[in-house]
Amino acid sequence: MPHCVVCAITSGQLEAHVVFENRHIVCFLDHMPINEGHILLCPREHLADITDLPDGLLAELMLAAKALANKLQGCLKCDGVSLLQNNGRFNELGHFHLHLFPRFQDDGFSWVSRGSRLAGREALARVDDLLRNAGD
Ligand SMILES: [Zn+2]
């Protein structure tokens, strides 16, 4: 069995509830959902971070997210959906995966749980300048 749990699922060696798949991507239910209906969208190939993905593969994953978001909203009558993707040391699986999960009023999930605050104009301008000068 592959060392990577996502590769074990995409190769069929580990069971999962696959909700969509094609030659390049596999989408399955997260066994530790933030909300019921939480889906992980993954490339079949073992690629770690968003910067490793060819543009066409990334586009394919986002189009699958769009289609699955539409299905979630239709099937689960959720109030919306959220997308989340972690990289580097925050990629807990080591294999690229895009989280898509339904949202419900008062579900308790919050993007500001760690105390996000308004950034000052100077801070915004500094980061803006860094990004503009970073090149492609
Ligand atoms: Zn993998």
Side-chain angles (χ1 to χ4, degrees):
M1 181 176 291
H3 187 61
C4 169
V5 67
V6 176
C7 284
I9 290 171
T10 61
S11 65
Q13 296 177 48
L14 190 62
E15 189 176 331
H17 290 274
V18 174
V19 295
F20 176 79
E21 65 181 321
N22 65 24
R23 280 182 43 218
H24 306 116
I25 66 176
V26 178
C27 309
F28 53 89
L29 296 176
D30 192 323
H31 72 285
M32 291 179 56
I34 289 175
N35 282 326
E36 186 175 74
H38 185 159
I39 298 168
L40 300 181
L41 297 90
C42 308
R44 283 189 184 279
E45 184 179 356
H46 184 87
L47 300 165
D49 289 342
I50 191 169
T51 51
D52 298 328
L53 269 66
D55 291 351
L57 183 55
L58 185 58
E60 196 169 343
L61 285 159
M62 290 305 292
L63 290 171
K66 178 182 176 182
L68 289 167
N70 194 37
K71 282 188 174 189
L72 285 174
Q73 291 180 104
C75 296
L76 298 179
K77 309 299 182 209
C78 51
D79 298 315
V81 299
S82 289
L83 291 168
L84 174 68
Q85 200 274 313
N86 298 309
N87 294 276
R89 67 186 314 171
F90 305 102
N91 181 349
E92 69 280 8
L93 300 177
H95 185 128
F96 179 94
H97 58 288
L98 176 64
H99 296 264
L100 167 66
F101 51 96
R103 299 297 310 278
F104 301 92
Q105 182 78 26
D106 302 322
D107 64 10
F109 185 84
S110 173
W111 298 106
V112 293
S113 61
R114 291 229 354 179
S116 298
R117 59 192 182 282
L118 281 176
R121 285 181 166 221
E122 276 185 33
L124 292 173
R126 181 178 50 79
V127 175
D128 183 11
D129 192 50
L130 288 170
L131 289 170
R132 287 177 189 275
N133 293 308
D136 293 326

